[in-house]
Amino acid sequence: MSELDRAAAAIEAGELVVYPTETVYGLAGAALDADAVERVFEVKGRDRSKPISVAVPSVPSALQHVRATERERRFMATFLPGPVTVLCRRREDVPDALTAGNDRVGVRVPDHDLALALCERAGTPITSTSANVSGRKSVRRLEDLDPEIRDAAAVVLDGGRTEGTESTVVDVSTETIHRRGALADEIERWFTTR
């Protein structure tokens, strides 16, 4: 069984996986499984009031889990796959645990072959949150992985060194950038011209 198959099987079994993206290493659990999401919060020591985003293999797959407006769809078609997290209205299958009870969920389609392959193979949205204990630095190399995260992960996928710039988190409906990261300037330009 390949590492990728082992990782997908682990996610299906409710376990956690460390995976590379084009930004930093991420921590994946089955995003629609409230227990797996709870485990992600627990391992990271993350405040339950801070939502966690989802990663999916494509924009069409994202639209199965969110209700996107026409403008949000245009934005996603422009910037995804890429280092951008788009906040959209969630559908009923997205658990409260993931969104901290909010009606919107962050959606990410990573621009990274291994991350996309994992999303595809897992067959379910996976959590898209950095693979670090909250308050510590994001991880660009596996040797910098927090021991707590390494111990909690059933599988660690090695993608070498990552780029390191966090994704930009955007609410297209209000034209708000909640976190500036990669492509933030292009996103602002898109807002002024669309």
Side-chain angles (χ1 to χ4, degrees):
M1 187 186 277
S2 73
E3 281 294 278
L4 195 55
D5 288 333
R6 283 186 53 233
I11 288 167
E12 198 177 327
E15 297 180 293
L16 304 184
V17 169
V18 172
Y19 67 104
T21 74
E22 79 279 30
T23 57
V24 296
Y25 274 86
L27 185 62
L32 304 184
D33 175 347
D35 292 338
V37 171
E38 189 55 41
R39 182 115 173 78
V40 171
F41 274 103
E42 197 179 291
V43 167
K44 283 178 63 77
R46 186 179 175 93
D47 186 326
R48 298 300 192 282
S49 67
K50 293 184 173 173
I52 289 179
S53 300
V54 301
V56 290
S58 65
V59 172
S61 62
L63 297 175
Q64 294 171 22
H65 306 286
V66 298
R67 300 179 198 285
T69 63
E70 194 47 53
R71 190 162 191 244
E72 286 166 344
R73 287 167 189 250
R74 284 201 312 275
F75 180 89
M76 290 161 95
T78 304
F79 289 100
L80 300 180
V84 178
T85 302
V86 187
L87 294 170
C88 295
R89 274 188 57 220
R90 64 178 171 142
R91 291 186 186 270
E92 295 71 23
D93 64 343
V94 176
D96 281 345
L98 193 72
T99 67
N102 295 315
D103 70 338
R104 297 179 94 70
V105 64
V107 175
R108 184 130 145 60
V109 181
D111 190 9
H112 188 285
D113 290 345
L114 192 49
L116 284 173
L118 178 63
C119 289
E120 194 72 59
R121 201 73 58 92
T124 182
I126 61 175
T127 56
S128 175
T129 183
S130 52
N132 60 310
V133 172
S134 286
R136 296 188 195 162
K137 283 179 69 132
S138 296
V139 175
R140 296 173 61 189
R141 304 173 317 159
L142 284 181
E143 49 265 42
D144 299 332
L145 201 57
D146 295 326
E148 300 92 324
I149 302 287
R150 189 179 289 278
D151 292 347
V155 179
V156 175
L157 292 175
D158 188 350
R161 188 182 180 87
T162 68
E163 291 296 317
T165 307
E166 304 277 1
S167 71
T168 294
V169 180
V170 188
D171 187 334
V172 177
S173 69
T174 58
E175 296 193 355
T176 307
I177 293 180
H178 290 281
R179 180 177 75 194
R180 285 188 79 83
L183 303 181
D185 293 345
E186 289 93 320
I187 289 166
E188 284 176 334
R189 275 199 296 280
W190 191 91
F191 284 151
T192 60
T193 58
R194 300 294 187 291

